[in-house]
Amino acid sequence: AINELLGSTESNLHTTAAAAYQEVAGDRFLDLTGTAAQTVNLPDCIGYSLNRQVVNLGSAAATAAAINGETLTGSASIAVGARAVFVPMPGAPATGGCRWERTQ
């Protein structure tokens, strides 16, 4: 929780040019800068409560993916120049768990 709150901010972004990148708690604001297709794996949504923003500043399309059997509702594709916002959504009280939802 501390890493999520004290990690990257809108004025202090994390960046990556890696072909495959596993987001961590401190990556709430992430810029992609790769020259080839990139895949960003969202962290396990359990325990997260804040939106995550990914901006594709690279020169190729990017893809977001959920891990650990979680689902991602909405488009997983992030076009060049596009911004994607992902929100952790809790599951039903009877079943628990969570999923990611793209809201932008």
Side-chain angles (χ1 to χ4, degrees):
I2 291 172
N3 286 338
E4 183 180 19
L5 291 173
L6 300 178
S8 63
T9 64
E10 288 185 87
S11 60
N12 182 26
L13 306 164
H14 287 182
T15 63
T16 183
Y21 184 76
Q22 175 61 58
E23 271 199 346
V24 295
D27 288 332
R28 272 191 54 225
F29 296 91
L30 179 66
D31 283 351
L32 304 179
T33 58
T35 57
Q38 292 181 267
T39 300
V40 174
N41 293 308
L42 298 170
D44 190 321
C45 59
I46 293 175
Y48 287 92
S49 60
L50 301 173
N51 297 352
R52 305 186 77 75
Q53 175 181 285
V54 179
V55 178
N56 186 355
L57 301 175
S59 57
T63 304
I67 63 169
N68 298 334
E70 296 168 354
T71 59
L72 170 60
T73 304
S75 176
S77 179
I78 308 169
V80 173
R83 177 175 81 145
V85 176
F86 301 97
V87 179
M89 304 296 290
T95 59
C98 57
R99 63 182 171 83
W100 288 101
E101 182 174 314
R102 182 173 178 176
T103 59
Q104 181 175 8

